[in-house]
Amino acid sequence: MGTSFRENSAKIFLSVFIGFLVIAFIFTGYESFNGGANSVGTVGNEPITIDEYNQAFQNMTRYYANANGGKQLTSQQIEAMRLKQMAVENIANQKLTIILGKELNISASPAEIKEKVKAYPYFQDNNQFSINRYKQLLAANGISPQQFEDDIAKQILTSKLNPLTANIRPSKKFLQQILELKKDTVKVTGLKINKNALKSHIKVSNSEINTFLKDKENLKRVEAMFKDRKPSLDQPAQVKASHILIRDKAEMDKIAKNVTAKNFAEMAKKHGTDGTKSKGGDLGWFSKGRMVPEFEQAAFGLKKGVVSKPVKTNFGYHLIMVTGKKKAKVAKLSEYKNKLATELIQDTKKDDLDKLFNSIKTQAKNNIKNISALKKLANKYNLALESDLYIEPVTPQSGSLNLQGSQLSKILNEANDQLKVEEFDDALSASIISFKKDLKKKLPTLKDIEAQYRYRVSTGVRGQLMDKVRTDHPVKISNKI
């Protein structure tokens, strides 16, 4: 439904919960594994089963499809986002965490699991845990109670592992050394120019497009591009709706008698029980597949400006009013043919691209001290701009400039109280920057540094624990994933 209601939707909640349990350790590489008929890999001697992989992969694709406006992901998108690999890596991390918990004699008791399950509002009816609602929601998402409770146990285990290293304190000598290094912090202003990203700014005339498309081979290339992109170009039917959610049926029956299209927003603010009430129940635009079925069926069946009868879902009772409708639109080659041809032609204009690339570099260098001019240049060509960036010796970060180690070292080593200008250039990009030491920047206190580095130290210790577990229980993943 709308932003708030979508976040509270049981389907989305369960997909995210099962697929993305928060693991405090980073998965770093794996060995190749030929695999058997029923597994896609192993963690130590324990298999990663096909069923585990399929469930994790489905949850992940469902999550990203919802984030993509409800559009089904293409095979190219799935491959580019590495969703298959991510699904297996998540499972492996969970299994490694369970092993670590066992080695440290940490686990989740049945009572803890039961308490956490009962606390979720999605499974409650009139503020009381409902076993029927619990089973219904899980069944609607193809999840068994045992699977859900196993994942709850993993979450509890992770929450118990985190405090083990949370109270590790860096030494005072270490903190003072960090403070000394921070005195050499350098202030940087810079513009990152990605050469390939400039292709869209290369001018192509209508006559060039027409000549290009007269060639049958070129037309075939355009048609192939369109076929590949079509799933993301098609626009599904959408509705824009508002709702009033009431948990109790008797209360809903009473309120429904007084709700009209004119007072709908006011009544939603007064009587609504979810996060959309402050916005008059506004749920925004959504396509099919984003909502629970009962709500979706009612919303797409309503005429614009008409208030529905109470609609029962697992969340309670809804009054729905559709405030806008968009018909489904199937993308046609004729609508995108010229645009796709333009892209292909732009790929061939290497001389024009070099000329534009060099022109922007010159403009950036000439205006490196003029933030206003740099912003205009960045906005015109969609360039990465950092106008208030601080690079410190301890953990040098360059933000969207994405400078390399040798470049960061050069800045830190050569910086003084005089402004310097530098160009870092390669075949694909250029960074035009100015920098000097910021002698006026207020330094953090030792207390501030301790708070920052306690987290980093604890993260490092957790990483070392996981490295030890991974060494003792190697992760092997099928090379077919």
Side-chain angles (χ1 to χ4, degrees):
M1 302 177 187
T3 301
S4 297
F5 193 72
R6 281 199 301 270
E7 291 175 353
N8 291 322
S9 165
K11 282 194 171 182
I12 294 177
F13 158 71
L14 290 171
S15 297
V16 173
F17 182 87
I18 297 297
F20 295 90
L21 284 172
V22 178
I23 304 297
F25 313 109
I26 299 174
F27 187 85
T28 54
Y30 47 79
E31 300 177 40
S32 178
F33 168 76
N34 291 328
N38 297 317
S39 66
V40 296
T42 57
V43 178
N45 295 322
E46 185 177 353
I48 299 175
T49 68
I50 292 290
D51 287 344
E52 287 177 312
Y53 165 73
N54 285 338
Q55 183 67 59
F57 178 64
Q58 289 170 11
N59 289 331
M60 192 164 287
T61 53
R62 189 184 304 131
Y63 173 84
Y64 281 104
N66 283 328
N68 192 38
K71 296 179 182 178
Q72 185 176 357
L73 300 180
T74 65
S75 57
Q76 290 80 10
Q77 288 174 313
I78 290 172
E79 183 177 352
M81 297 166 71
R82 296 184 68 253
L83 296 190
K84 292 181 179 180
Q85 292 87 344
M86 286 171 60
V88 182
E89 290 167 5
N90 280 354
I91 297 169
N93 267 330
Q94 292 173 15
K95 290 182 180 294
L96 288 168
T97 304
I98 292 171
I99 292 171
L100 177 59
K102 289 180 179 178
E103 292 184 355
L104 297 175
N105 199 28
I106 297 174
S107 62
S109 70
E112 289 174 315
I113 296 171
K114 182 178 180 180
E115 181 181 356
K116 193 167 185 67
V117 169
K118 292 175 70 174
Y120 281 110
Y122 314 99
F123 307 135
Q124 294 182 4
D125 191 2
N126 294 326
N127 297 320
Q128 295 291 325
F129 176 72
S130 168
I131 188 65
N132 289 333
R133 177 169 290 188
Y134 175 58
K135 291 180 178 179
Q136 288 170 0
L137 281 178
L138 293 182
N141 286 272
I143 301 168
S144 69
Q146 184 62 54
Q147 180 188 4
F148 185 76
E149 289 164 20
D150 284 346
D151 284 305
I152 289 285
K154 294 170 188 174
Q155 187 187 57
I156 293 172
L157 173 60
T158 301
S159 69
K160 288 183 176 182
L161 286 171
N162 288 340
L164 292 180
T165 57
N167 294 320
I168 297 176
R169 301 170 67 94
S171 69
K172 188 174 181 179
K173 181 179 179 181
F174 171 80
L175 297 174
Q176 288 173 333
Q177 290 173 332
I178 296 296
L179 181 59
E180 285 299 313
L181 287 171
K182 284 182 177 288
K183 291 179 181 179
D184 291 325
T185 295
V186 179
K187 185 177 181 180
V188 172
T189 295
L191 196 69
K192 180 83 170 185
I193 309 165
N194 186 305
K195 192 173 184 178
N196 285 332
L198 297 176
K199 287 181 182 179
S200 61
H201 296 277
I202 301 297
K203 293 182 179 180
V204 177
S205 68
N206 289 333
S207 61
E208 287 178 291
I209 295 173
N210 292 333
T211 301
F212 182 84
L213 290 173
K214 287 179 181 179
D215 186 300
K216 291 182 179 180
E217 290 302 316
N218 289 337
L219 183 58
K220 286 181 180 179
R221 292 168 64 195
V222 169
E223 290 171 345
M225 285 179 67
F226 175 75
K227 183 178 180 181
D228 183 56
R229 296 186 189 180
K230 188 176 181 300
S232 62
L233 298 175
D234 289 339
Q235 298 177 19
Q238 291 183 306
V239 297
K240 188 173 188 289
S242 297
H243 81 142
I244 302 173
L245 173 63
I246 304 296
R247 310 289 183 185
D248 182 70
K249 186 179 185 303
E251 184 180 356
M252 168 56 82
D253 291 340
K254 180 180 178 181
I255 293 171
K257 296 177 182 178
N258 301 312
V259 176
T260 65
K262 289 185 177 181
N263 70 10
F264 196 95
E266 180 184 345
M267 294 293 279
K269 289 180 180 179
K270 184 177 180 180
H271 299 288
T273 59
D274 76 320
T276 67
K277 65 178 295 182
S278 62
K279 300 183 294 182
D282 183 21
L283 299 165
W285 290 95
F286 56 89
S287 55
K288 290 183 178 180
R290 299 290 295 275
M291 310 300 167
V292 291
E294 303 90 342
F295 189 98
E296 180 179 284
Q297 184 178 359
F300 277 87
L302 282 173
K303 292 183 179 180
K304 183 178 176 181
V306 175
V307 179
S308 73
K309 295 179 179 179
V311 176
K312 186 178 185 299
T313 73
N314 286 320
F315 296 98
Y317 298 86
H318 310 255
L319 291 177
I320 307 169
M321 183 174 72
V322 170
T323 56
K325 285 196 169 189
K326 293 180 183 177
K327 293 182 179 180
K329 184 178 180 182
V330 178
K332 298 179 180 179
L333 175 61
S334 59
E335 298 172 329
Y336 292 93
K337 183 167 60 176
N338 286 2
K339 181 178 183 297
L340 296 175
T342 298
E343 288 184 34
L344 292 172
I345 296 170
Q346 287 169 333
D347 285 339
T348 67
K349 295 197 167 193
K350 299 187 183 302
D351 290 342
D352 289 350
L353 181 61
D354 288 339
K355 184 178 179 180
L356 179 60
F357 182 56
N358 291 326
S359 172
I360 294 174
K361 285 197 296 181
T362 300
Q363 292 178 66
K365 282 185 279 190
N366 291 340
N367 293 284
I368 194 63
K369 298 179 183 180
N370 186 337
I371 297 299
S372 177
L374 286 180
K375 286 182 178 179
K376 288 181 180 179
L377 194 61
N379 290 336
K380 182 177 181 180
Y381 295 104
N382 194 28
L383 307 175
L385 173 65
E386 294 285 355
S387 58
D388 198 20
L389 175 68
Y390 292 91
I391 298 178
E392 60 176 47
V394 187
T395 52
Q397 302 290 330
S398 58
S400 59
L401 298 180
N402 195 28
L403 300 174
Q404 303 303 305
S406 59
Q407 297 166 342
L408 290 168
S409 296
K410 185 178 179 66
I411 292 170
L412 292 168
N413 290 332
E414 296 184 4
N416 54 39
D417 59 353
Q418 299 297 314
L419 188 70
K420 292 188 176 184
V421 177
E422 186 69 58
E423 175 183 340
F424 296 119
D425 205 348
D426 58 43
L428 298 177
S429 67
S431 296
I432 312 299
I433 67 169
S434 65
F435 61 95
K436 71 174 182 176
K437 283 190 177 180
D438 187 10
L439 303 179
K440 296 181 180 180
K441 181 175 173 60
K442 184 179 179 181
L443 292 172
T445 65
L446 287 177
K447 186 176 181 181
D448 292 334
I449 296 174
E450 180 181 359
Q452 180 183 4
Y453 280 87
R454 279 179 67 177
Y455 172 77
R456 294 186 183 181
V457 169
S458 66
T459 301
V461 172
R462 290 199 300 272
Q464 290 178 10
L465 286 172
M466 285 303 292
D467 287 342
K468 176 65 167 59
V469 174
R470 192 177 292 112
T471 299
D472 295 340
H473 305 270
V475 175
K476 298 181 181 180
I477 303 300
S478 171
N479 52 22
K480 295 180 181 179
I481 294 299

